[in-house]
């Protein structure tokens, strides 16, 4: 009888420790995910700013190639969509 009581006590202890560990791991994952999204957002904003400054420089040039201007506009649109997606994911986490 004592063996069964000891077994269930140890099993209960392991289960309770496991639940605490799971919560700790989930908090860690959420923190890492949040930091990752912050880093990606900063990179995307820098890329968009760089693309925008190039577009503004090129818009003043008379000799600007239309295809290059179109590719810059497409890149800016994609970077803007990436920023919106990151904001959406950040809201889902909170």
């Amino acid at each position: 009888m004592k063996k069964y009581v000891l077994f269930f006590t140890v099993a209960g202890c392991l289960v309770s420790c496991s639940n605490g560990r799971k919560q700790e791991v989930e908090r860690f994952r959420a923190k890492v995910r949040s930091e990752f999204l912050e880093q990606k957002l900063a990179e995307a904003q820098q890329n968009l700013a760089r693309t925008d400054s190039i577009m503004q420089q090129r818009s003043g040039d008379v000799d600007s190639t239309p295809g290059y201007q179109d590719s810059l506009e497409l890149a800016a649109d994609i970077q803007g969509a990436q920023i919106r997606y990151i904001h959406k994911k950040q809201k889902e986490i909170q």
Side-chain angles (χ1 to χ4, degrees), residues 8-39:
F8 285 115
T9 304
V10 170
C13 217
L14 290 174
V15 168
S16 67
C17 292
S18 175
N19 286 341
R21 180 73 175 149
K22 285 180 185 178
Q23 291 173 352
E24 183 180 324
V25 168
E26 285 299 318
R27 277 182 275 172
F28 177 74
R29 285 182 182 164
K31 180 182 174 188
V32 169
R33 190 177 307 129
S34 175
E35 289 174 1
F36 175 77
L37 287 175
E38 286 292 327
Q39 178 186 6

Side-chain angles (χ1 to χ4, degrees), residues 55-81:
M55 283 176 54
Q56 288 183 9
Q57 285 176 342
R58 299 292 284 183
S59 66
D61 292 343
V62 177
D63 299 333
S64 181
T65 308
Y68 185 69
Q69 190 70 22
D70 291 342
S71 67
L72 286 173
E73 289 174 4
L74 179 62
D77 289 342
I78 291 171
Q79 290 162 353

